[in-house]
Amino acid sequence: MSTRRTTLTTSLAIAFGAALPSTGALAAALQPAPKLAACEGPHETVLAQGKAYDARALWLNGALARWPGVKAEGSFKLYHSLTAAVDAQPGGRVSGADGVIPLEASSAALPADAAPRFKYAGDGVTLALPEAIQRKLGGLLRHQLLLVQENADGTVRDATTLQVPGALDDIYSGAERAADLGATPGKAGTSFKLWAPTAQGVSVCVFDTGSSKPKSITAMRADAKTGIWSAKLGTNLSGSYYKYVVDVVAPRAGLVRNLVTDPYSVSLTANSARSYIADLADPRLAPPGWGKDQPPANVKAQTDMSIYELHVRDFSINDLSVSAPNRGKYTAFRETGSNGMKHLAMLAKAGMTDVHLLPVYDLGSIPEQGCVAPVVHGAPDSDQQQKVISDNAQKDCYNWGYDPWHFNAPEGSYSTDASDGARRIIELREMVMALHKTGLRVGTDVVYNHTFRGGQHERSVLDRIVPGYYHRLNLKGDIEQSTCCFNTATENRMMAKLMIDSAELWTKHYHIDSFRFDLMGHQPRAAMEALQARVNKAAGRHVNLIGEGWNFGEVADGARFVQASQLSLNGSGIGTFSDRARDAVRGGGAGDSGQQMISQQGYVNGLVYDANAAAGLRPVLDLMKAADMVKVGLAGSLRSYRMQTHTGEVKELQAIAYGGNQPAGYASQPGEAVNYVENHDNQTLYDINVFKLPVSTTSADRARVQMLAAAVNAFSQGVAYYHAGMEILRSKSLDRNSFESGDWFNRLDWTYQDNYFGVGLPRAEDNGKDYALIKPLLANPALKPTPVDIAFARDTFRDLLRIRASSTLFRMRSVEDIQQRLQFLNTGPQQVATVLAARLDGAGYPDAGFKTVAYFINVDKVAQTIVAPSEAGKAYRLHPVHTAAGAGDKRAAEARFDAGSGSFTIPARTAVVFVE
């Protein structure tokens, strides 16, 4: 029998019913089984070069395909080849196929589950597999599959490959229930399981260490029902390392042999070169006391959360009170006597409940060994600093970490020994324990919406195991990149499973108390609710979930599924960041550049009442509108909360317009709104105020303005969220996007002497277009705060935390509570537009602490008096925090209440709370 005939027979055997466990042997008939040398091979070996085609058709399930934009004309055939040899050029005839399957156009209605999932694809021809083939599609999907539209004479009119998620989710739905993907060591041996349903062969390589020669290679076998390949070795391999060799058809490369790490890796060696074998329940990986570690019991409801967003390296790399080997590492948090840990302890004592760490999973862009810390210096407005940083960006030790490589493994650059897979596990746990002992719960930022790389790139994992499945594709078959990187498709069963399994792992094995989801609106609400249930079960208590609910990109407005976005999550209990008050407080929008950054002032930095040179004359009406939007935030952005607006009308917040076409109120319950005025993204508040405040504003007043914004956050219903360093006037030298700006532009000073304003022009890549505006500001020494200003902000911020912590009235539990107990004063067309004022009724409310609370935020440069007749005759006094000997803002003690008239006099640029 000829080689060609053997190939065709083998192909048809798979397509029409060969048992899956023999697939490895079938592949070996064409390609020799990988030898031990393959374990040291390149990340990709092309076994058979194939033609590159777009993927413009989609499998809807295991029986139907849709080719958008194509009419039911001519004939449609599905050609297949184990060696990716099919060639279909328009006008010619198909060659190189091992077999062909005719398809019939179908006019039947789509199945109920497929119709909404693939509605984004639009109209086109729907094609049905012959019934006899449908049961065999799983085997067929291991081939190159090319869908061809042919003319009557058999020549090619058009050709495309097919996107596979719809078929794989239908055929291998049972894989969702697998609880042991990855490497599982135990007394009886070590098992390896990898979901790779389209692979022609999979083997596992084992290494004694992260750098040693391979010890063994073992062929794995596939399960026909799940598409999971497995192997079991007879010894406990804990502490060893492994990789997979996967033979698979990559649509635009051909038949390839990929040497790849495990998507379910629990740890790795340096630079993610090999996956680490470990049982995370192994006592050898637990630091002393780990089994008794518990979070502080300071959050009884989601609204109790006051969150401090912190980057692991930022925390200690600049802290000389930390021993040199621990700076920038997980282990810095163990040094309780350091300046940084003392600062966190003081925040916790004042009322901060949570630290949210920027990503700590395995990152794709930081060299874990040999990274450099460039020497930087220059004048305040020099471009030399950013040039050095940019020149070293690919080899320095810094990145925010929104570049996931392995979701389940700790990042190695934060470990004292990245080459040791155990060390990073232990040290991350030590960090969590240290924060818990300090009185702070631990959350982490997770980025399941994209990966660092995709396709056949060396640092791509998912696509090199199941090509075309884990990432969201456009209608050409290219990976969508609206999130900046390679968007994942959590609407697909096994990508959702990976996300949910990962969150469970962090909850169970690292005692993570809460999660912040990056660009959560790119994920389905259903997947997030399933994740919530899983992590709650793993923790034995409620795990708090918050995230970015922005609505944009290819999933916008529910194009592919019901999103986990601001307007779609109400009622879920999952929190989303509210941009309503943020924009009103800061002024303008997050994407502003050029003169807009200066002219678009906000509520706290001078809109109308303290116009800068570029702002021009603005009507008081603009300030009143901004005040209304700040009140939206103070009321928790609740849909049904009713308040009087600047026009005198009483409206539900959902009836107030935000951004032109969105409702200002979007949450059903206060825990669904996360209030913030600064985070790692965009300019710090101090820096945006440099642009917006008049240049003549004193450094002392700049500190006051910063604390007015902090007061808005502290007094708002919902979750309070703060960026690390906000309380010490943190500057990034006007950098709008410091994700890759190195330690220099991201420093924190726990000695409170410097905020690092004016340390050079920020990176040209994101800021260069505005250098003409930035340069004179950085050169102006009057814009830099003094240590006295920094200390004022630090102490005033702690007081705001104490005030929020003193009463549940600032963090009420339900929309009914807020509607009943929060009443805004100073509203309507006759209001004093520079003063926010509200009354909180504490009668009978658990842990209210006071009968009544009244708060005021006067953003004006002069004192203002608010007359509230409803408060006349009450016994208000200043909140005890204001009158304490160590109060941060002495000016607050000058505020007065006149019981006879019900009038409150509030000093300039001061936040004041009265209680009775």
Side-chain angles (χ1 to χ4, degrees):
M1 188 180 288
S2 69
T3 302
R4 171 65 182 161
R5 177 66 176 166
T6 302
T7 300
L8 181 58
T9 302
T10 299
S11 171
L12 293 175
I14 292 179
F16 289 93
L20 275 173
S22 64
T23 303
L26 289 169
L30 299 176
Q31 295 294 334
K35 304 296 185 183
L36 195 62
C39 300
E40 297 182 281
H43 79 278
E44 173 197 58
T45 301
V46 178
L47 303 178
Q49 186 75 49
K51 298 279 187 182
Y53 294 92
D54 289 338
R56 289 177 283 115
L58 308 88
W59 287 109
L60 304 179
N61 53 29
L64 298 172
R66 165 71 59 81
W67 194 344
V70 172
K71 296 180 179 179
E73 298 173 350
S75 61
F76 295 88
K77 296 177 181 177
L78 189 65
Y79 290 87
H80 54 95
S81 166
L82 269 173
T83 55
V86 182
D87 187 7
Q89 300 302 315
R93 294 182 179 275
V94 177
S95 63
D98 295 337
V100 59
I101 300 166
L103 304 179
E104 294 293 331
S106 171
S107 59
L110 296 184
D113 56 344
R117 179 177 180 181
F118 296 106
K119 64 181 179 180
Y120 69 91
D123 294 333
V125 62
T126 299
L127 301 166
L129 274 175
E131 197 167 330
I133 303 297
Q134 292 176 19
R135 297 187 298 274
K136 316 301 179 185
L137 181 57
L140 199 62
L141 287 167
R142 293 184 177 141
H143 301 213
Q144 175 202 28
L145 294 179
L146 197 68
L147 177 59
V148 179
Q149 182 185 29
E150 294 182 352
N151 297 311
D153 62 358
T155 57
V156 175
R157 181 184 298 190
D158 201 356
T160 180
T161 58
L162 299 98
Q163 298 180 22
V164 297
L168 295 183
D169 282 351
D170 188 13
I171 297 168
Y172 299 111
S173 61
E176 273 187 308
R177 296 187 289 275
D180 55 353
L181 293 176
T184 307
K187 292 180 180 179
T190 302
S191 68
F192 299 89
K193 291 190 177 181
L194 179 72
W195 189 68
T198 60
Q200 295 181 10
V202 180
S203 300
V204 60
C205 302
V206 174
F207 310 81
D208 285 333
T209 72
S211 57
S212 62
K213 295 289 185 180
K215 180 180 182 178
S216 66
I217 184 170
T218 303
M220 301 173 71
R221 296 172 70 83
D223 175 64
K225 293 181 179 178
T226 64
I228 294 171
W229 295 73
S230 62
K232 186 166 186 178
L233 302 184
T235 58
N236 186 328
L237 293 171
S238 292
S240 299
Y241 295 81
Y242 69 107
K243 294 187 87 164
Y244 293 119
V245 178
V246 180
D247 291 352
V248 66
V249 173
R252 294 179 180 174
L255 177 62
V256 296
R257 173 164 291 168
N258 285 327
L259 184 61
V260 61
T261 46
D262 192 337
Y264 276 77
S265 299
V266 297
S267 192
L268 303 135
T269 190
N271 298 320
S272 311
R274 294 172 183 174
S275 300
Y276 181 69
I277 301 173
D279 175 2
L280 292 179
D282 189 330
R284 292 172 295 181
L285 298 175
W290 180 246
K292 296 181 179 179
D293 175 64
Q294 291 290 330
N298 52 5
V299 173
K300 296 180 175 63
Q302 188 141 305
T303 51
D304 287 337
M305 295 177 77
S306 287
I307 299 171
Y308 195 68
E309 183 195 44
L310 182 64
H311 184 274
V312 169
R313 186 172 173 87
D314 289 354
F315 172 65
S316 62
I317 195 63
N318 193 46
D319 189 351
L320 298 183
S321 69
V322 174
S323 58
N326 290 336
R327 288 178 205 153
K329 308 295 184 181
Y330 301 123
T331 49
F333 292 85
R334 300 183 315 197
E335 300 196 20
T336 56
S338 71
N339 292 334
M341 283 304 289
K342 288 178 181 177
H343 185 83
L344 291 185
M346 286 186 284
L347 292 178
K349 185 178 180 181
M352 194 73 76
T353 64
D354 291 65
V355 163
H356 260 230
L357 300 166
L358 267 70
V360 294
Y361 53 68
D362 179 50
L363 314 180
S365 59
I366 301 178
E368 292 184 343
Q369 286 182 323
C371 66
V372 301
V375 177
V376 183
H377 54 80
D381 60 344
S382 169
D383 68 351
Q384 292 306 304
Q385 297 95 322
Q386 67 89 25
K387 282 182 179 178
V388 172
I389 294 295
S390 296
D391 289 347
N392 288 278
Q394 300 308 308
K395 54 187 178 181
D396 75 355
C397 307
Y398 196 88
N399 198 281
W400 278 346
Y402 294 89
D403 51 351
W405 193 349
H406 297 85
F407 291 115
N408 298 351
E411 164 59 12
S413 69
Y414 300 149
S415 170
T416 58
D417 185 359
S419 67
D420 181 353
R423 180 51 38 198
R424 63 180 76 185
I425 296 170
I426 295 168
E427 290 178 350
L428 195 155
R429 288 171 165 176
E430 289 176 332
M431 175 183 67
V432 171
M433 285 181 65
L435 287 167
H436 281 169
K437 288 178 181 177
T438 304
L440 293 161
R441 304 185 335 141
V442 181
T444 185
D445 204 327
V446 284
V447 186
Y448 296 114
N449 62 82
H450 63 243
T451 59
F452 180 54
R453 292 290 183 263
Q456 284 295 107
H457 190 279
E458 184 174 4
R459 298 192 181 188
S460 168
V461 176
L462 302 175
D463 245 353
R464 295 200 294 125
I465 295 170
V466 192
Y469 176 81
Y470 284 100
H471 292 94
R472 188 173 299 125
L473 307 179
N474 64 20
L475 291 178
K476 286 184 61 180
D478 297 323
I479 298 175
E480 295 279 10
Q481 298 189 40
S482 58
T483 66
C484 84
C485 307
F486 295 83
N487 294 4
T488 55
T490 40
E491 63 270 31
N492 298 344
R493 288 180 186 271
M494 294 302 284
M495 183 59 224
K497 174 179 170 58
L498 175 55
M499 176 179 74
I500 295 167
D501 288 349
S502 177
E504 179 185 36
L505 180 148
W506 288 105
T507 303
K508 180 178 179 180
H509 292 294
Y510 291 98
H511 299 180
I512 295 301
D513 304 304
S514 62
F515 293 91
R516 174 207 182 270
F517 287 79
D518 182 64
L519 300 182
M520 184 173 61
H522 270 57
Q523 289 153 202
R525 171 173 170 153
M528 288 300 303
E529 290 182 317
L531 185 151
Q532 178 78 79
R534 183 82 73 81
V535 295
N536 286 357
K537 183 177 180 181
R541 54 182 166 78
H542 183 70
V543 174
N544 304 100
L545 306 184
I546 64 172
E548 292 181 304
W550 315 134
N551 174 37
F552 70 98
E554 73 282 357
V555 299
D557 302 321
R560 299 198 182 205
F561 44 77
V562 176
Q563 300 159 260
S565 60
Q566 271 185 346
L567 301 185
S568 300
L569 269 176
N570 63 299
S572 69
I574 298 170
T576 59
F577 287 86
S578 177
D579 43 358
R580 276 59 172 163
R582 179 203 70 185
D583 288 352
V585 166
R586 290 169 65 101
D592 289 349
S593 61
Q595 284 292 329
Q596 274 191 322
M597 290 191 298
I598 300 174
S599 63
Q600 299 300 307
Q601 289 178 283
Y603 189 74
V604 302
N605 53 36
L607 176 62
V608 178
Y609 60 90
D610 194 18
N612 63 44
L617 293 176
R618 299 276 294 273
V620 174
L621 184 64
D622 286 356
L623 184 59
M624 289 185 177
K625 289 178 179 177
D628 277 355
M629 204 56 64
V630 177
K631 290 167 193 167
V632 168
L634 288 165
S637 301
L638 292 167
R639 289 173 179 253
S640 60
Y641 181 81
R642 295 173 64 81
M643 76 173 192
Q644 186 183 45
T645 69
H646 68 281
T647 66
E649 299 172 278
V650 175
K651 292 183 177 181
E652 291 188 339
L653 301 189
Q654 63 186 337
I656 299 173
Y658 167 73
N661 59 358
Q662 295 185 58
Y666 68 86
S668 291
Q669 295 294 340
E672 294 172 358
V674 181
N675 303 299
Y676 74 116
V677 291
E678 175 185 324
N679 73 349
H680 66 272
D681 281 321
N682 310 117
Q683 296 93 342
T684 68
L685 183 62
Y686 188 88
D687 286 348
I688 208 68
N689 286 342
V690 166
F691 286 116
K692 295 181 187 296
L693 283 167
V695 174
S696 60
T697 306
T698 67
S699 63
D701 268 358
R702 290 177 185 277
R704 284 195 160 274
V705 168
Q706 184 107 341
M707 288 304 101
L708 294 175
V712 171
N713 243 28
F715 299 164
S716 291
Q717 302 297 326
V719 176
Y721 193 94
Y722 307 97
H723 181 220
M726 178 192 181
E727 76 283 13
I728 52 174
L729 308 182
R730 182 181 192 172
S731 170
K732 296 180 181 180
S733 207
L734 303 183
D735 195 344
R736 70 182 307 125
N737 188 15
S738 69
F739 81 104
E740 210 169 33
S741 297
D743 298 324
W744 184 258
F745 289 99
N746 285 286
R747 284 175 292 172
L748 289 162
D749 179 13
W750 303 128
T751 69
Y752 315 124
Q753 299 304 298
D754 200 343
N755 79 331
Y756 300 114
F757 176 81
V759 295
L761 285 164
R763 283 190 317 127
E765 181 179 1
D766 290 302
N767 304 276
K769 63 184 180 297
D770 293 320
Y771 272 0
L773 299 174
I774 292 173
K775 193 175 175 67
L777 295 172
L778 293 178
N780 185 347
L783 300 181
K784 192 175 181 71
T786 67
V788 172
D789 302 325
I790 294 171
F792 163 81
R794 176 200 65 202
D795 295 344
T796 301
F797 183 82
R798 289 180 196 156
D799 284 353
L800 292 170
L801 291 177
R802 291 185 181 103
I803 289 170
R804 182 176 175 87
S806 72
S807 175
T808 51
L809 293 174
F810 291 108
R811 39 199 170 86
M812 286 186 270
R813 279 37 181 156
S814 72
V815 63
E816 293 80 12
D817 293 340
I818 294 169
Q819 188 66 64
Q820 178 184 346
R821 296 176 181 275
L822 169 63
Q823 176 191 357
F824 287 110
L825 310 173
N826 185 41
T827 61
Q830 305 305 314
Q831 67 182 272
V832 178
T834 51
V835 179
L836 300 166
R839 177 186 185 278
L840 301 167
D841 180 5
Y845 199 64
D847 298 318
F850 307 100
K851 179 182 177 182
T852 316
V853 171
Y855 65 76
F856 302 83
I857 302 173
N858 178 13
V859 299
D860 213 334
K861 296 190 296 180
V862 297
Q864 293 287 357
T865 296
I866 301 300
V867 179
S870 63
E871 307 308 293
K874 296 195 173 178
Y876 280 117
R877 67 187 189 280
L878 285 170
H879 194 290
V881 165
H882 291 317
T883 57
D889 185 0
K890 306 299 184 184
R891 188 183 291 179
E894 300 171 10
R896 295 290 178 264
F897 169 65
D898 179 75
S901 62
S903 63
F904 298 84
T905 300
I906 312 301
R909 283 181 166 154
T910 305
V912 179
V913 177
F914 289 88
V915 297
E916 68 161 353

